[in-house]
Amino acid sequence: MNFQKVRLGAGLYFVATPIGAARDITLRALDVLASADVIAAEDTRSLRRLMEIHGVPLEGRRILAYHDHSGAGARGKILEALGEGKSVAYASEAGMPLIADPGYDLGRQTAEAGHTVTCAPGPSAALMALTLAGLPTDAFFFAGFLPNASGARRSRIEALRDVPGTLVFYESPKRVAACLSDLAEVLGEDRAAAMCRELTKKFEEVRRGTLGELAAGLQEQTVKGEIVLLVDRSHSETVKDSDVEEALKKALETHSVRDAADLVSQMFKLPRRPLYQKALKLGKG
Ligand code: SAM
């Protein structure tokens, strides 16, 4: 038996679950699942299965379904149990709750109501990918999933251009090719990047290269499974927006929008597309 029944104090216990390999669950997570008065989960079936794998009995406890969109009803039930001095374990479908997963509203409202909030921590795809990517880990920015629509996605990438740390994205295999090509176009093909796939699973893979290389690789071959994309910070000297704008205005006096964007892109070693859009706006003004 890998778990112990323990006396849990009243409070909410976020429980991390594996991101692939079932044995990645921690012993303490199993203790909490075995001992909590109430169990709630984003996906009741997958938690029940995980408990079965590890031989943790439900002992008459029902697993409540909860995600942040379940609304006040399901949250109310959990808060009520906490109010009665019960211990409540909550697990999302995989990895750490709240990390691109439900739990934020629940945790916040539980704390606001004055109850204890704690966690049995464990795997998270973002941290494992950072460990494997070969990119700097002194600072990183978890950006979750990028928007589906290309326009919104590019704007979001643009907003992340100068973040002084490694960028970490979650992505689906359906969108990863489009995403990498937008990343390469907006941030420049030369930025170092990595694609980490199927972490902790049989077909685990880490591809390292420039954004251009990774994007080109996915034009030739599609991939399956769960994916984390990571992108190095910009290493080009920081260029002031006002200098770029000034140069564009000057170039537009004698050049077409297209040529002005090309010129300034070469001058400052910046990607062409956002400059073209800026030049278009300036040209109209
Ligand atoms: N809470 C989870 C965590 O802590 O990593 C993330 C949940 S989010 C809904 C699911 C996304 O996480 C997937 O689409 C994928 O981008 C990433 N992910 C989860 N498991 C993964 C794995 N084994 N390998 C690579 N990426 C994974």
Side-chain angles (χ1 to χ4, degrees), residues 239 243-276 279:
V239 179
D243 290 348
V244 174
E245 191 164 321
E246 201 49 44
L248 271 177
K249 278 185 188 158
K250 214 163 178 141
L252 282 166
E253 286 171 12
T254 46
H255 294 79
S256 67
V257 167
R258 187 178 297 271
D259 289 348
D262 278 343
L263 204 71
V264 176
S265 141
Q266 281 163 20
M267 235 163 103
F268 291 98
K269 295 199 170 40
L270 289 171
R272 202 186 147 279
R273 169 173 269 273
L275 288 177
Y276 178 77

Side-chain angles (χ1 to χ4, degrees), residues 123-164:
S124 186
L127 289 185
M128 175 155 174
L130 270 163
T131 308
L132 302 184
L135 295 171
T137 52
D138 57 320
F140 57 87
F141 186 91
F142 175 64
F145 288 93
L146 282 166
N148 291 344
S150 185
R153 186 161 62 220
R154 286 175 191 211
S155 309
R156 176 77 182 126
I157 297 170
E158 182 61 45
L160 298 170
R161 168 195 302 286
D162 295 320
V163 169

